[in-house]
Amino acid sequence: MTTVTLHRSDALGVITLDNPPVNALSREVRAGLLARLQEALADDGIKTLVISCAGRTFVAGADIREFDLPLQEPHLPEVLGAVEASPKPVIAALHGTVLGGGLELALACHHRIAVTGTTFALPEVSLGLIPGAGGTQRLPRLVGAPLALDMIVGGARLDAGAALAAGLIDGLGQGEPLALAQTFMHEHPRLERRPTGERHLAPFDLEAFEAQARVLLRKLPGQEAPVQALEALRGAWQLPLSEAMQRERDLFVARRESAQARALRHVFFAERALAGRNRALAKAAPPVELQQVAVIGAGLMGSGIALCLANAGIRTILIDTQAQALERGRATIDSYFSGALAKGRLTAEQASARAALIRCAIDLAAVAEVDLVIEAVFEDLAVKQEVFRQLDRLARPGAILATNTSYLDIDAIAAVTGRPEAVIGMHFFSPAQVMRLLEVVRIRTVAPAVLATAVQLGERLGKTTVAVGNCHGFVGNRLLAVREREATLLVEEGAAPEQVDRVLRDFGFAMGPFELRDLAGIDIAWRNRQGRGEALSAAERACDLIEQLHAAGRLGQKSGAGYYRYEPGQRQGQADPAVAELLAAHRQRRSIIPRSHSDKEILERCLFVMINEAAWLLEEGIVKQAADIDLVWLHGYGFPRYRGGLLYYADDRGLAHIVSTLEGWSDALTERGTEICPRLRQLAAEGRRFLDA
């Protein structure tokens, strides 16, 4: 139940907002705040006001559900204008997370007092928006233009100590926020109004500011909101306050209705829904308590997984039966903590404590001590099956056995054990200590508590954890495989690798498919193709460019040459005439007359086959929610967040258009062993969307 109350204690009026769970500034809250403010101003006995929030946080932003509705009065700028114009001093008593409209409310107050541990941010750009209730004008007047730039355009967060040092808040302490505000009043018996909007902007180096702005915008390619947030911020020194506030509001309203903002709202709600489903899993089947975890394999992936566990405070045993590999793994871990210490991400105490949680072992028998084993050895079914035979014998009864395989059949791995109900896939992405995605792969025999344990662990590690079914490549790599197939066939037909990569980069990916292949390693792709063997279609087998590059020793960045040539010390590839010659010879052998491809054809070929494959994933029950496919590709494969995800993009383009385009390629698709998914056809015929189904 949402309430906004006014309580009078002597000459102090306390307005308390209570809108669980995060005190979002819904229309009801805005109206209640304005009404209670007017009541307090009409009460001659009240000399000073405090605005506080019930629950675990101050206002953590707007009610995002309202953003798909028409604007509703009272509008937040009007409410905050009334707060700032109050003839009685107004103190904001802050705790928890003071975000977005919550920070704008605090800025409109005359004084701000916070509890230690409070966090401050204006994260609107992450939703395709800009601050729309004075944030771009009041914040720089308190903290200066350079820091305001980092917060408004870059989305930077401030902890309470940094906020105090910057002048964002006037006091900081431990205890209840209201008590801190009362102490502040007693320490300042002649408290006066200090409207933020009336303050002068501190002088700053405009040239340095603009240089920093360019750096921030380069980190956010393709996003519209940061550019417009910067435009609004410049109004703080380019325009009178009233005009600058109006410019900010106009830009905010336009952004609210923008395609990018709608896409980012979809992502926000998809992430929230996923978190809710994951919590429900844990309630339905209580997870196993994990005191200690073992990781098998001390390569880059195994070491990264061990770091994830240690960073979450979990005791970990890193096991590798090869002494040299184990030593390299330990060196990787030591290097990570040294780097985190040098960059200030961890204190010496934190780095030491986390490093101490990882111990190394060369004997597989060490798994007898643990509650969960995560296998991260060579991607070969026979090798993994042999490891699981040993784990089945050595691990204690009740221990969970997880595999980090990227492609292999987990049912086949579980079948060699006497505990198939305890086997599950936990597909981390490299580098595991950095990448946000975790695919938890359920198999037919898995026990509900085992699934719940793996999902809960992923959440504990700070991962976006998506439960998916078992198939070749699961969700992410299965879609990646069809994109790589289509990109390779485009090159076979006459497109240049650099053109295909540019088109995908222009769409918003950080790198194109051939740049990605060079980064991952041609040898990895070659090994995967060898493993798939007869599962490849005839068209895929005939397009053997990977085999040719592998035979030529062109393994990608690691060898200095793959699809591109790499100068020593450079990670940016250059187009290589040798690859053009290899392609020309390949086409000649296969009697392919090369043709040119438009950027539109390249983009649609790469994305539409992925959309069709995603429809098959839903048809087969590999994934239950269309939005989960979006999250997998957003968090694991660099799909541009501001486009909402693969199936959001499909819905936006129109499924009828996608189906008719695929029908035009039907003969070619058949040659590749692919057909248009019935679910996709049905949705298109009925005028429905993936995200409605």
Side-chain angles (χ1 to χ4, degrees):
M1 180 178 177
T2 299
T3 62
V4 181
T5 59
L6 172 63
H7 170 71
R8 176 178 165 183
S9 176
D10 296 327
L12 178 66
V14 180
I15 298 175
T16 304
L17 283 58
D18 189 0
N19 183 25
V22 294
N23 292 312
L25 285 169
S26 64
R27 185 207 62 78
E28 189 176 359
V29 170
R30 298 193 303 272
L33 174 57
L34 187 59
R36 301 296 87 73
L37 175 66
Q38 291 167 346
E39 290 173 15
L41 295 180
D43 187 333
D44 292 337
I46 294 176
K47 305 302 181 184
T48 304
L49 290 169
V50 171
I51 298 177
S52 66
C53 287
R56 59 186 173 87
T57 184
F58 194 72
V59 173
D63 188 338
I64 297 175
R65 294 171 299 181
E66 293 184 354
F67 285 7
D68 289 318
L69 303 173
L71 288 164
Q72 301 178 70
E73 294 184 340
H75 303 310
L76 187 58
E78 298 165 7
V79 176
L80 302 194
V83 170
E84 187 170 59
S86 165
K88 302 176 181 181
V90 183
I91 304 170
L94 309 170
H95 71 294
T97 50
V98 184
L99 308 180
L103 180 52
E104 290 182 298
L105 170 58
L107 292 170
C109 295
H110 304 138
H111 305 273
R112 286 152 294 281
I113 308 301
V115 174
T116 301
T118 306
T119 301
F120 302 84
L122 288 173
E124 283 85 351
V125 292
S126 68
L127 285 171
L129 304 169
I130 71 167
T136 67
Q137 302 308 304
R138 294 189 179 103
L139 182 65
R141 285 170 164 80
L142 282 180
V143 305
L147 180 53
L149 173 67
D150 284 339
M151 295 181 69
I152 293 169
V153 177
R157 294 189 171 214
L158 293 187
D159 61 27
L164 181 65
L168 177 57
I169 58 177
D170 304 296
L172 178 64
Q174 296 186 355
E176 292 297 317
L178 180 57
L180 291 177
Q182 291 170 324
T183 299
F184 181 78
M185 289 175 54
H186 292 317
E187 293 173 349
H188 300 80
R190 297 183 180 275
L191 201 64
E192 296 181 351
R193 298 173 64 254
R194 289 196 306 168
T196 308
E198 295 179 8
R199 298 190 181 198
H200 294 294
L201 184 68
F204 64 98
D205 185 332
L206 182 58
E207 186 175 338
F209 174 93
E210 293 296 344
Q212 179 60 22
R214 289 191 294 273
V215 170
L216 287 174
L217 293 180
R218 279 198 297 270
K219 296 177 181 178
L220 303 165
Q223 297 186 45
E224 300 162 351
V227 176
Q228 297 193 357
L230 176 61
E231 181 182 345
L233 176 57
R234 288 182 177 128
W237 57 90
Q238 292 177 344
L239 298 171
L241 178 63
S242 60
E243 292 181 31
M245 295 279 271
Q246 187 59 54
R247 176 199 272 186
E248 175 199 79
R249 188 63 180 174
D250 291 343
L251 289 170
F252 168 82
V253 171
R255 290 250 33 90
R256 188 176 182 268
E257 304 301 323
S258 69
Q260 288 193 2
R262 290 196 302 273
L264 288 163
R265 286 199 289 276
H266 158 69
V267 176
F268 173 86
F269 287 117
E271 289 172 336
R272 192 161 74 172
L274 174 67
R277 291 198 304 277
N278 288 347
R279 286 193 296 270
L281 270 178
K283 288 182 179 178
V288 174
E289 185 176 356
L290 300 177
Q291 298 292 336
Q292 190 168 211
V293 175
V295 179
I296 312 300
L300 290 177
M301 180 58 80
S303 299
I305 295 171
L307 285 167
C308 288
L309 295 163
N311 283 334
I314 299 170
R315 289 188 296 127
T316 304
I317 307 174
L318 181 62
I319 303 172
D320 200 302
T321 57
Q322 301 294 320
Q324 287 186 332
L326 193 60
E327 185 57 35
R328 286 193 298 270
R330 169 52 74 185
T332 297
I333 290 167
D334 290 344
S335 176
Y336 169 84
F337 285 120
S338 296
L341 182 59
K343 294 174 183 177
R345 293 200 297 263
L346 294 176
T347 65
E349 292 76 17
Q350 289 172 326
S352 177
R354 294 184 188 188
L357 289 171
I358 304 174
R359 70 180 178 90
C360 294
I362 200 165
D363 190 344
L364 206 59
V367 301
E369 307 172 29
V370 306
D371 308 298
L372 166 69
V373 182
I374 303 175
E375 165 274 312
V377 303
F378 190 69
E379 188 76 354
D380 179 274
L381 181 59
V383 172
K384 289 182 183 289
Q385 286 177 322
E386 179 55 31
V387 170
F388 270 74
R389 288 188 186 96
Q390 296 182 59
L391 293 178
D392 189 35
R393 178 172 54 85
L394 296 169
R396 67 168 180 80
I400 297 171
L401 308 181
T403 174
N404 180 58
T405 180
S406 302
Y407 290 95
L408 300 176
D409 182 358
I410 301 174
D411 280 303
I413 294 172
V416 304
T417 75
R419 54 176 101 183
E421 75 286 349
V423 176
I424 195 162
M426 293 187 69
H427 179 210
F428 290 81
F429 288 71
S430 185
Q433 67 271 26
V434 175
M435 295 295 288
R436 287 281 312 278
L437 179 66
L438 174 66
E439 284 181 313
V440 171
V441 187
R442 58 182 184 271
I443 59 175
R444 293 187 299 269
T445 55
V446 71
V450 171
L451 175 61
T453 301
V455 168
Q456 186 183 70
L457 175 59
E459 299 278 326
R460 184 176 174 184
L461 299 181
K463 305 291 187 186
T464 298
T465 306
V466 183
V468 303
N470 183 32
C471 64
H472 182 80
F474 318 129
V475 170
N477 280 341
R478 179 166 162 179
L479 295 177
L480 180 65
V482 297
R483 191 188 78 170
E484 287 193 344
R485 179 197 70 196
E486 207 61 36
T488 305
L489 291 172
L490 282 162
V491 166
E492 183 181 58
E493 295 167 14
E498 53 270 26
Q499 181 191 8
V500 177
D501 283 343
R502 176 185 55 76
V503 169
L504 272 295
R505 285 198 310 274
D506 288 348
F507 179 76
F509 285 98
M511 59 178 63
F514 299 106
E515 295 167 318
L516 181 61
R517 176 49 60 217
D518 275 0
L519 176 64
I522 299 296
D523 52 331
I524 304 298
W526 175 84
R527 191 176 301 118
N528 184 36
R529 280 174 63 86
Q530 301 310 299
R532 292 191 65 194
E534 293 302 315
L536 294 170
S537 68
E540 290 176 281
R541 286 198 301 273
C543 186
D544 61 351
L545 299 178
I546 288 291
E547 283 83 354
Q548 293 181 53
L549 291 169
H550 186 267
R554 300 181 68 99
L555 305 184
Q557 288 188 18
K558 67 181 73 173
S559 68
Y563 281 101
Y564 297 96
R565 173 175 48 82
Y566 300 88
E567 298 297 334
Q570 297 295 317
R571 303 189 68 178
Q572 181 66 46
Q574 303 295 322
D576 193 338
V579 172
E581 293 172 7
L582 181 150
L583 290 170
H586 172 82
R587 295 173 190 132
Q588 187 174 28
R589 282 194 303 274
R590 297 208 58 218
S591 300
I592 295 172
I593 300 174
R595 67 176 181 87
S596 62
H597 297 73
S598 69
D599 290 358
K600 178 176 181 289
E601 179 185 358
I602 289 172
L603 184 64
E604 290 189 341
R605 287 263 298 267
C606 288
L607 294 185
F608 287 10
V609 295
M610 292 175 64
I611 292 164
N612 184 58
E613 196 70 19
W616 279 112
L617 286 167
L618 290 164
E619 183 84 0
E620 297 165 9
I622 300 300
V623 64
K624 293 183 171 66
Q625 306 285 334
D628 285 356
I629 294 174
D630 288 346
L631 295 178
V632 166
W633 263 72
L634 286 164
H635 290 285
Y637 297 85
F639 196 95
R641 190 177 177 90
Y642 59 84
R643 294 192 185 274
L646 180 67
L647 294 187
Y648 180 93
Y649 169 80
D651 287 342
D652 194 52
R653 287 296 307 270
L655 301 190
H657 167 67
I658 292 169
V659 168
S660 71
T661 303
L662 289 169
E663 286 175 339
W665 306 334
S666 58
D667 290 343
L669 291 175
T670 300
E671 290 177 2
R672 296 162 209 172
T674 299
E675 61 179 289
I676 301 173
C677 179
R679 176 177 293 224
L680 177 56
R681 287 188 183 277
Q682 182 179 3
L683 290 172
E686 295 174 355
R688 297 166 65 208
R689 308 186 311 157
F690 278 114
L691 296 169
D692 293 335

